[in-house]
Structures are given as structure tokens and as C-alpha cells.
Amino acid sequence: MTRSLAAQAFEWVFLGYFVMINTGYLLLDFTALAGIVPHMRERVTESFPSAGMSLEPPVSVLVPAYNEEATVEATVEALLQLNYSEYEVVVVSDGSTDGTLDALVRRFSLRPFPEAYRARLPSQPIRGIYASTIYPNLRVIDKENGGKADTLNAGINAARYPLFCSIDADSILQRDSLRRVARPFMEDARTVAAGGTVRIANGCSVRNGFLERVGVPRNLLALMQIVEYLRAFLFGRLGWSPLNALLIISGAFGLFHKETVVAAGGYRTDTVGEDMELVVRLHRHLKGRRGSYRITFVPDPICWTEVPETIRTLGRQRIRWQRGLVESLWLNRSLLFRGGAVGWLSFPFTMFFEGFGPVVEIAGYGFFVGGAIAGVLSVDAMLIFLLAAIGMGVLLSVSALLLEELSFHVYPHPGQIGLLFLAALVENFGYRQLNSVWRLVGLTRWLFGRKGEWGQMTRSAAWRRTS
Amino acid sequence: MNNRAVFIVEDDEHVAALVRFVLEREGFEVTHAGDGGVAAQHIDTMPPPDVVLLDVMLPQVSGFELIARIRAREEWSEVPILMLTSQSTSQNVVRALDAGANDYVTKPFRPEELIARIRRFVR
Amino acid sequence: MTRTATLAVALGSQPFAVRLAFLISLTTAALTVAFLALTGAARTLTVVRQRRRGKILELWRPIMLGSLSPRRELLPAPRIRRTHRTTVLGMWTHLQESLAGDAKDRLNSLARRARLDGVARRMLRTPNAADQLLAVIALGHLGDREKWDALADIVRAGKPTLSSAAARAMVRIDAQDGLRVVAPMILSWTDWHPSRIAAILNEAGSEAAARVVTELIEVSPSESLPRLIRYLEVARNDKVLPIVRRVLEENDDAEVLAAALHVFGEFRDRDDAPLARRHVSHPQWFVRLQAVTALGKLGGADDERPLTDALGDREWWVRYRAAQALTALPSMTSERLVELRTSHPDRYARDAVAQVLAERGIA
């Protein structure tokens, strides 16, 4: 059997790609571990009574809400009970058409408040500002519909404190979540942003908006997402933090220095990945100015969220995420090779392996399978290549579980870990490949998407969470 | 000797053991709940103690929420509540007293002072 | 032919890339199994450690708590094995952190009797950062001067958590000498959160803190002055005021002025009111902000005029604080404030007054 040079080249390219991406992630994972182990040890002295002596910087917690009448009361109740010395809760309703505002007015005894609102960042007009007569640190803003980014900008305008915390209306926190995510700001005054790890709430018991007990879901899709979140969103991102090259802070829970964000222009309303875009832009904005800065990742499990359990919803989410990712990178492309670990490491890595990666992956699978069918490749060869690709994937998933065991072991029961290992295995036979397809769709949509269409897109769609 | 009963809610294992030791040494009968969930259950089902000692910063349930729960239950509504706070920031203290607590003790505390404050309420 | 042989032959005939892929598959499979085993081992280790810790605590708890009783017979203290030292010292330090008064001295006696002080000293040199932190905190409570120089080195190393803990420990052991070591670092730790420094100064007590910060002010460059003045605030000691006033005589930098005005506001000495009054129209907004805030605390009836004018300031925060300051003036009445809300010619001023009134629940 003669093998064309082209076929050989393709073999090397794809094999090389799979090896590179998996080795890259493996390195990231173990860099993450180097950061976690000392962090875990420091936790011992955290419990000392005098540890809380350092005054915590006051925080404005911003809660963007659109048609959340069923859940908003519980969310806000929970937020009012965080263990933190000084903070305020600002709920911003993005022109909700259901009973969101009414529910809030009733429950928290809100009255219109003649606040002198300062529009530092542009946003849709404000319809009214309310303050609670029972909870002095709760305010609610009602504005014209404008999308999540626009709503966050309005929240920033109304925020009184030097730090603001952006959360999703359905983020489930723990009582010490705010304290933990504020620590980097107390440790290092150069910190401008800190992100929290998002863990999966499916299967856990939630009471009064707080996480009561951790559990493992029955749904296979959710199980596989647990492994995926650990692999890609926890350890995969945590590794960038010590290098100050973190590109993504999830919109589900992030703490930012308000003035820096305002100076950088606030959130962009013309992108679907506004949370990531802000962080990338912060890097770009701050690299230009003098003085060093820090954007860190807090590895402790402090934010929990429900993930989709059906393929349809999951697919829509992942397509949107990929689009957001590529948009965020594109809009800030001048950061590429612009210096520092961001420019030279995380930006190209993210661009090549996460942004453009799906193309190579799908092409790779396509080549191996199609080549075997066409006779260019022997079936044995195809099987071996697939085995290598999948094997590396399994190794990565398993290493994420190992790292989890070495650090937080959120799932204490051995049965739970066993289930997760099975999911880690199964994940690589179909789930990851499906993900690549979705991401390819997302990439294509970005490339050929009608950019103007975003303005007309229904604002409710803008509300489903990104990254 | 009449045994006065104290109910402690404290998640810190060392502080809980310390307080138990100090109180039992003085002849108190101590019941302890290590987290808010257990405490809530205890409040709902058990007869009231003579004094409640409550930590403000609990991981699962807020101390203030527990005070509200205690005051809501009829048999427990008159029970004196002492808060254990770790900072003496006026905000925390005022909030505790507003919420229905009767007194507070700041950490780090002197064992003699804790006993004296508790004794004030069980005369 | 055997299966393996067939496989080997099939493999041998494949191109290099395929053979490499096969090798990769084998390696990843082996590593996967290894990681699985490691996970199992890690889990088992955690369980074993937990159990051991429980046993150690059970053994030492009655001894440590028992030492708190002045009258009881002291229980004998067992030898502390190296593997136990973190747990035992951890519990001891935790108790020290939770207690005040005589109990601390009794815990220290126990520590000396059980040779826990030696353990802490030896732990100071461990590479494990968390253990080192524990040792530093413990030595502070022990009041042990033996490792003074080692602690000073740690302070000078400048790591946020460790160095500030060492600084507090040194100040706890000996306020005067400790501050002397820590003082030069206070100047250079520019990116430390002020509350950290405040915690260290608080440990030393207001007299010593005031003295040290004053000395620092003498020698420091003017960029550091604003920060140092804020630290003086921590030393809640009236002797601080003349120092700050003198600094202002020699230095008219805006940042220094703002910091000074903040301090004057906090200490509420009426003598400083003229200064605040003078700077209500300073070119820099943050100076105006502090002047207005201070005037609310120090001022009297004469200050209604300048504050009402400040309501029309360009900067939102100055307007807001001016409105708050007005409500704080003893001579102001609710009726006049409500009237101001409607009568002031400047729209933004009216907004500011309205907001403050609503916050106070006045109207």
C-alpha cells in the first residue's frame, strides 16, 4: 500500500496537535497544583479567631435579573446573609416583564428612593431606584431592557463601594464566598479582579439559596460536566493564575475593582461573552499603563450552579460560549504577543487550542475515520490513532480527578468518586467529540455571523449564562 | 445543686470544647450543636435551656437567623441569648442586640468574663 | 500464530507515526492506571490522617484545657512526636488566639512544661510555609525572645501573610523593640493593605505606635506621608494631632492635606475647623471631599454657608458628603434641610440633599 506524502503529513500534524494540547493541559493542571497545595495549608491558620482582624474591603454585590420572579426572592435573601463585614446588594432588573419587581417590592418592603444616579458608563435609561426599609444595604434598580452587559454597567454606576461583585441570578453561594473571593484583594493591593471557581449544583441539596450538602447527580450529562468543569474550568484555568495570565473570570461569580473597570470602559454590550471580554480587555488596558496589576483565581469551591441536563440546552450553551470566547479574543487581538505571560502564553494558547482547536480536532477525526474508509489509512492505523487521542483525553480527565482528590475533595464519598471516574471514561467516547462539533458551530457562527443581528436578538436570549 | 442548662452553637471544634470545659467546671449542663442545621432542629424540638450561647459567624446558617428562630418559638422566646463575636465592630454588636440577643462576648475572651456574663442571666 | 505475535507483526509493518501513536496509547493507559492508584492512595492517606488527628486531639485536649484551672492538679504532658507537632501546636495556638487574660499565661506555662516552646522554635525553620506560619504565631503568644533574629529575618522577607504575622508576633513579644524592627518595613510595604499595618500597630498599643509613626514621619520621603498619617489615625491618641499639624506646616501636598483632614475629622478637635473651612474650595476634589466631611464633624452654625455652597460642587462625591455633613451639623434642622431640597438653585445639589434625606429617613 503506497501512502501519499500528504497523508503522512496529516498524520503527523493531527497526532502532533493532540499530543500538544493534552500535554499543554497536563502542564497547566500541575502548575495549578503547585498553587493549590500551599493555599490548602494556609487554610489551617484561617480558622484562627484573630485571622479576621484585617478589615475586609467593602463590596457592592450586583445582581442582574431578567424575569426571575420565581427565584429572585430566595437569591436576594441568601445574599443578605453572607458572612462579610460591609457590603451592599444592588439588584438590577433589566426591564423585566413579569412580576420580578413586584416580588421584590413586596418581600423587601421597597420604597422609591430619590437617588442621585451617576451615569458614568452608558446604559439604557433608568426607570426607577428603590431602597428597602428593612434591609438598609439593599437597593433595587429598574431599567429599560438592554441585555446583561448593559445591566451590569447600570449596576456599576449605582455601586457605592470600591469593589463590585458580579453574580448570576441563579448562582448559589456559601456564606464565606465573598470573604474568600475578597482575600486576594487583602493580600495584594495590586489586585484588580478575582474569580471564583464554579462548581456544579446538580445533585446537591440547596436550602434558602445556600448550598447545604454536596451530592452527585444521576444524569450522565451532568456527571460528565462535573469532570469537564474540573478539567477545563478549574485546573485548566487555575494554572494561569500564578502567571497573572488568567483570561476568563466567570460571570457567575467575580469580584472587580470598580474604578479600574470604569476606566477600561465597563462591559461591552455588543458581545455574547461579556464576562470573558472584560477580563481580556482589562489585561490589554492595564498592560498599557504603568504599574503592575494582578488578576487571580480563587481555587476554593465558592460558587455553585445548575448545568444543563439535556443535549439540546447544553449544545446551545456551548455554541454560545465558543462564540463568546472567539469574540473576546478577536476584540482584543492586539494583546497577542504584546508581552508578559498573557501575550506570549495564555492568549496564543487559548486562541490556538480553545478558539481554533475544534477545527483541528474535527478535521483530525474526520481524517482518521474518512481515511480508513477511503483506504488511505489502514483500519488498524485508524484504531491506533483514535486510541491515542482518546487515551490522552482519558488521562487528562483522570488527572483532574486526582488533583481534586489532592486538594478540595468536595465529594467525600468513595461511591461518588467511582461514579465520576466512570464518567471520566465515558466522557471521551462521544461527549468531548460532540463538544468539538458544537464549538465548531460556534466558531462558524462567529465567522459568518451577521454582526448587526446581535442588536436585534431578543434580550431574553442574552440572559443565558456565558462561560 | 441545681444544674443550669446552657445550649451552645459553635462550629469551631476547639472553641466549642473550651467553652464546654469552662462551663462544666462551673457546674453548668452543656448541650452543643456544631452547625446551624443541627441547632435549628434542636431549637424546634427540645425544651429550652437557661441560656443560649451562639456564635455569630456560622458556616451554614447565620447566627442572626438562629436568634430569630429562637425568639419565634414560644417556649424559647424568653431565653437569654449571648452572642460570641470575633470582632468588636460596633456594627456586628448593634445588629446582634437589635436581632434579639441580650449580651455579647468578643473573642478572644476571658473565661471568667464569660462565666460572669452567663451568671447574670441565670440568677 | 499467537495473538501477540500477530499484533507485533501488524505493528511492525505500520509506518512510524502509527507506531508512535501506539506507544502513546500504552503510555497514557499506564499513566491513567497509575493516577487511579494514586487517587486511591491519597484518599486512604486522608482517612488515616484524620483518624490520627482525632486521637491526638483526644489525648491533648484534657491536658490543655486542664491547665486552665488554677486549682486542679496538673496532668502530665506526654512527649510530642514529630509527626504530631503540627496538630498539637495548632490546637495550643488556636486556644491562645481564642483566650485572653490569665488563661494565656497558664497556657504558656503548660507549653514550657510540655516543651512545646522548643517545638515551635524548631518549626520556625521548616520549609513548609503553613507550619512556619503556625510557629510564628505561637512564638508571639509565648513571648519567646530566643528566636528574635529569625523572626526579624522573616519580617524583612516581605511575604504578605508570613511577614505581617511575624511583625505582630515581634510586637507582641516586646512592643518597643518589635516596632523598631518593623518600622522600616512599614515604609517599604507600600502595596500592603492599610488594615494589615493597622493590626500590627494596634498590637503595640497606641503610645508606642504613635511614637514610631512620628519617628517615621521625620525620616520618610513626602510620598509616604499620606499613608503614614493614616496609620497615625490607628493610634487613637490625641498626641497625634500636633504632629499632623506640624507636618502640614511644612508640606502643602494635596495628598498629605487630604490625609490630614481625614485625621482631624476623626479626632473631632474644634481647633482644626478653620483649616477644613479653608480647603472647602481646594482645586483637588479629594481634598474638598475630606474638608467637607471634616467640617461636618468639626463645624458649627457658621459652616452652613460653605457647606451649602459645596452642594453645587462639580464632583458627585463632594456634593453627597456635603449634604451628609449638613445633616450632621448641630444647628441644622430637618425643616431647613427639607426646604433646601426644593429651594437650592442647583439641580444636582437638590438631588444630593434628597438622597441624603431619604437615607436618613427624614423625608
Side-chain angles (χ1 to χ4, degrees):
Chain A
M1 171 177 67
T2 48
R3 295 160 39 76
S4 69
L5 219 57
Q8 260 191 308
F10 276 128
E11 276 173 16
W12 280 104
V13 164
F14 290 127
L15 188 64
Y17 174 82
F18 279 105
V19 170
M20 270 200 299
I21 187 175
N22 284 300
T23 319
Y25 272 113
L26 216 57
L27 277 173
L28 261 181
D29 284 358
F30 286 97
T31 316
L33 188 65
I36 287 190
V37 171
H39 179 92
M40 294 301 292
R41 294 222 192 106
E42 267 182 34
R43 278 175 136 215
V44 171
T45 38
E46 258 174 41
S47 62
F48 284 170
S50 69
M53 286 267 288
S54 295
L55 284 165
E56 299 160 325
V59 171
S60 299
V61 180
L62 306 179
V63 190
Y66 180 73
N67 288 355
E68 310 268 354
E69 72 177 326
T71 53
V72 74
E73 291 174 52
T75 307
V76 176
E77 281 259 8
L79 287 174
L80 290 169
Q81 300 193 39
L82 293 169
N83 279 344
Y84 201 74
S85 49
E86 189 173 349
Y87 70 103
E88 62 167 353
V89 178
V90 182
V91 182
V92 190
S93 165
D94 190 28
S96 296
T97 53
D98 69 353
T100 302
L101 197 59
D102 293 330
L104 288 169
V105 170
R106 262 194 333 264
R107 175 58 163 271
F108 301 104
S109 187
L110 300 178
R111 296 266 184 285
F113 193 71
E115 176 156 325
Y117 176 83
R118 234 169 122 208
R120 297 174 69 188
L121 295 169
S123 81
Q124 291 296 315
I126 306 292
R127 293 206 286 234
I129 301 179
Y130 303 81
S132 164
T133 52
I134 6 178
Y135 296 101
N137 61 338
L138 171 64
R139 280 181 300 151
V140 175
I141 310 229
D142 183 29
K143 64 182 264 291
E144 302 276 339
N145 183 276
K148 185 157 171 212
D150 186 82
T151 309
L152 281 169
N153 284 340
I156 293 175
N157 284 338
R160 287 191 182 157
Y161 292 137
L163 299 181
F164 77 85
C165 178
S166 76
I167 69 168
D168 280 342
D170 52 0
S171 301
I172 297 162
L173 303 180
Q174 294 169 226
R175 279 180 207 280
D176 60 353
S177 295
L178 202 53
R179 181 167 278 182
R180 288 203 183 277
V181 80
R183 276 203 96 205
F185 290 87
M186 295 191 271
E187 296 274 317
D188 191 337
R190 300 168 299 170
T191 310
V192 298
T197 333
V198 177
R199 295 290 194 134
I200 293 183
N202 302 46
C204 299
S205 68
V206 174
R207 201 177 69 100
N208 294 343
F210 284 115
L211 189 83
E212 198 178 33
R213 201 183 52 246
V214 178
V216 153
R218 295 285 159 161
N219 179 282
L220 183 62
L221 214 55
L223 272 171
M224 293 193 292
Q225 283 177 77
I226 291 183
V227 180
E228 181 191 18
Y229 270 56
L230 284 173
R231 176 171 46 80
F233 306 147
L234 170 53
F235 298 109
R237 285 185 195 164
L238 185 53
W240 294 122
S241 185
L243 304 169
N244 201 30
L246 189 63
L247 286 181
I248 306 177
I249 286 181
S250 171
F253 195 59
L255 190 58
F256 297 86
H257 184 244
K258 191 178 71 178
E259 289 302 317
T260 311
V261 171
V262 171
Y267 286 92
R268 274 185 88 125
T269 49
D270 59 349
T271 171
V272 72
E274 78 276 329
D275 47 1
M276 175 175 175
E277 198 280 328
L278 176 66
V279 180
V280 182
R281 182 159 27 97
L282 279 176
H283 278 288
R284 187 160 64 101
H285 172 87
L286 292 167
K287 282 240 173 284
R289 294 196 324 193
R290 227 149 33 106
S292 59
Y293 67 97
R294 280 266 163 289
I295 294 183
T296 47
F297 200 75
V298 176
D300 309 52
I302 52 181
C303 176
W304 302 73
T305 189
E306 293 266 341
V307 294
E309 290 190 346
T310 62
I311 297 215
R312 190 127 180 241
T313 344
L314 184 60
R316 279 206 298 255
Q317 185 195 58
R318 296 319 174 91
I319 293 174
R320 201 175 62 249
W321 284 9
Q322 183 71 3
R323 190 173 172 167
L325 181 109
V326 183
E327 266 177 5
S328 306
L329 293 176
W330 176 255
L331 288 170
N332 294 288
R333 56 195 183 275
S334 63
L335 199 49
L336 183 60
F337 301 137
R338 240 261 301 273
V342 193
W344 291 100
L345 285 176
S346 68
F347 197 100
F349 183 97
T350 311
M351 191 182 77
F352 187 57
F353 289 128
E354 289 190 45
F356 190 64
V359 176
V360 183
E361 275 178 53
I362 299 293
Y365 281 116
F367 170 76
F368 289 131
V369 173
I373 294 176
V376 175
L377 219 54
S378 75
V379 176
D380 288 341
M382 172 197 84
L383 286 174
I384 289 175
F385 278 121
L386 286 180
L387 199 62
I390 291 175
M392 287 189 277
V394 172
L395 178 61
L396 216 52
S397 301
V398 165
S399 71
L401 289 173
L402 171 62
L403 288 173
E404 161 71 359
E405 181 58 38
L406 291 174
S407 57
F408 295 104
H409 30 226
V410 165
Y411 303 101
H413 205 266
Q416 295 170 330
I417 297 286
L419 212 55
L420 287 174
F421 269 115
L422 278 173
L425 202 62
V426 175
E427 191 207 7
N428 291 282
F429 289 92
Y431 176 75
R432 285 184 81 165
Q433 290 75 7
L434 189 54
N435 241 295
S436 298
V437 172
W438 284 327
R439 284 160 59 195
L440 186 60
V441 173
L443 182 60
T444 327
R445 287 221 184 137
W446 172 74
L447 270 172
F448 303 112
R450 297 135 280 179
K451 304 273 195 315
E453 178 200 77
W454 179 243
Q456 268 78 27
M457 217 167 122
T458 47
R459 295 304 174 187
S460 60
W463 277 98
R464 286 181 247 115
R465 193 178 332 103
T466 53
S467 56
Chain B
M1 164 137 83
N2 49 344
N3 270 356
R4 288 134 320 157
V6 183
F7 178 49
I8 320 176
V9 184
E10 171 62 69
D11 67 302
D12 183 324
E13 56 171 345
H14 297 298
V15 174
L18 170 66
V19 173
R20 179 189 278 272
F21 173 81
V22 167
L23 289 176
E24 280 177 350
R25 186 178 64 178
E26 295 293 318
F28 289 92
E29 196 180 291
V30 175
T31 327
H32 167 241
D35 74 71
V38 174
Q41 213 176 15
H42 186 104
I43 295 168
D44 288 340
T45 54
M46 303 294 278
D50 293 296
V51 178
V52 172
L53 189 59
L54 189 51
D55 189 333
V56 179
M57 296 292 189
L58 292 169
Q60 302 296 338
V61 174
S62 104
F64 302 108
E65 196 181 303
L66 280 178
I67 297 182
R69 207 189 190 98
I70 291 173
R71 293 294 177 235
R73 183 154 179 231
E74 212 189 310
E75 297 92 332
W76 287 60
S77 61
E78 295 294 309
V79 176
I81 302 177
L82 250 82
M83 299 294 282
L84 262 179
T85 67
S86 49
Q87 291 162 305
S88 54
T89 50
S90 45
Q91 236 185 19
N92 239 349
V93 166
V94 169
R95 206 177 149 196
L97 296 173
D98 274 346
N102 299 78
D103 202 355
Y104 66 96
V105 175
T106 47
K107 293 192 262 197
F109 61 90
R110 292 170 45 221
E112 315 87 67
E113 193 181 320
L114 178 68
I115 299 293
R117 285 185 191 265
I118 289 183
R119 280 233 181 85
R120 257 186 64 214
F121 291 112
V122 291
R123 231 171 267 297
Chain C
M1 267 213 251
T2 58
R3 298 271 307 269
T4 344
T6 330
L7 192 61
V9 166
L11 210 54
S13 66
Q14 294 284 7
F16 185 63
V18 182
R19 290 210 298 272
L20 184 62
F22 188 69
L23 187 63
I24 291 174
S25 313
L26 283 181
T27 319
T28 52
L31 278 173
T32 307
V33 172
F35 282 2
L36 274 163
L38 272 172
T39 312
R43 173 56 62 100
T44 321
L45 201 65
T46 315
V47 172
V48 164
R49 272 210 200 105
Q50 290 284 68
R51 270 205 215 118
R52 186 176 62 186
R53 185 172 179 268
K55 287 215 188 86
I56 299 173
L57 290 179
E58 247 180 68
L59 173 63
W60 277 91
R61 186 155 284 149
I63 299 172
M64 287 205 192
L65 294 177
S67 72
L68 296 176
S69 306
R71 292 176 298 260
R72 277 244 279 257
E73 193 183 284
L74 298 169
L75 289 168
R79 199 174 68 87
I80 304 168
R81 275 186 256 170
R82 196 188 168 93
T83 46
H84 295 185
R85 61 182 195 174
T86 311
T87 314
V88 178
L89 191 63
M91 174 156 77
W92 183 88
T93 313
H94 200 116
L95 287 173
Q96 273 285 15
E97 293 270 307
S98 315
L99 290 167
D102 294 336
K104 291 172 79 79
D105 298 325
R106 293 199 193 107
L107 279 174
N108 281 341
S109 310
L110 171 65
R112 283 186 284 271
R113 200 159 52 84
R115 316 261 190 104
L116 205 52
D117 51 352
V119 169
R121 284 186 221 119
R122 283 191 296 276
M123 250 169 88
L124 204 58
R125 277 180 284 132
T126 180
N128 181 331
D131 278 356
Q132 206 184 16
L133 182 62
L134 182 59
V136 163
I137 299 177
L139 286 173
H141 288 291
L142 277 167
D144 192 293
R145 280 205 77 137
E146 216 181 279
K147 288 289 177 185
W148 187 258
D149 293 330
L151 283 174
D153 287 339
I154 296 176
V155 169
R156 293 194 194 104
K159 298 187 205 153
T161 326
L162 202 53
S163 299
S164 62
R168 287 184 65 189
M170 290 187 82
V171 170
R172 218 180 222 149
I173 296 173
D174 185 324
Q176 197 145 309
D177 291 347
L179 274 180
R180 205 160 286 146
V181 171
V182 173
M185 305 310 298
I186 292 183
L187 271 182
S188 55
W189 289 330
T190 47
D191 57 355
W192 280 28
H193 202 275
S195 58
R196 243 180 226 284
I197 312 271
I200 298 171
L201 290 174
N202 271 330
E203 198 68 64
S206 53
E207 293 271 353
R211 197 171 38 240
V212 164
V213 180
T214 317
E215 283 170 18
L216 281 175
I217 288 181
E218 303 283 326
V219 301
S220 73
S222 43
E223 302 91 63
S224 315
L225 282 179
R227 255 188 326 121
L228 289 174
I229 294 180
R230 291 295 270 251
Y231 296 156
L232 271 181
E233 238 180 88
V234 167
R236 298 238 115 231
N237 183 344
D238 301 31
K239 299 203 178 60
V240 148
L241 289 176
I243 303 163
V244 181
R245 289 178 196 137
R246 213 192 53 217
V247 168
L248 279 184
E249 282 170 29
E250 301 164 5
N251 196 314
D252 61 355
D253 180 62
E255 303 252 5
V256 175
L257 189 50
L261 283 168
H262 188 99
V263 172
F264 293 148
E266 291 295 302
F267 279 81
R268 297 183 185 247
D269 185 333
R270 290 276 159 95
D271 292 344
D272 297 310
L275 188 78
R277 231 169 264 138
R278 208 173 337 136
H279 292 291
V280 168
S281 38
H282 192 278
Q284 292 281 23
W285 71 274
F286 50 86
V287 179
R288 295 200 298 276
L289 180 73
Q290 297 298 344
V292 150
T293 313
L295 213 50
K297 298 176 188 167
L298 306 170
D302 302 333
D303 296 304
E304 285 179 24
R305 189 69 240 233
L307 282 175
T308 314
D309 289 340
L311 285 176
D313 194 285
R314 297 197 296 278
E315 282 295 328
W316 186 90
W317 276 100
V318 180
R319 300 198 292 269
Y320 180 61
R321 292 285 184 224
Q324 283 183 324
L326 272 172
T327 59
L329 284 182
S331 54
M332 242 326 173
T333 62
S334 319
E335 293 85 36
R336 298 209 356 252
L337 278 167
V338 171
E339 205 222 307
L340 209 58
R341 188 180 58 184
T342 45
S343 68
H344 199 289
D346 185 328
R347 184 206 124 187
Y348 294 105
R350 291 199 298 272
D351 283 348
V353 178
Q355 173 160 353
V356 169
L357 282 178
E359 278 172 8
R360 303 278 163 122
I362 295 174

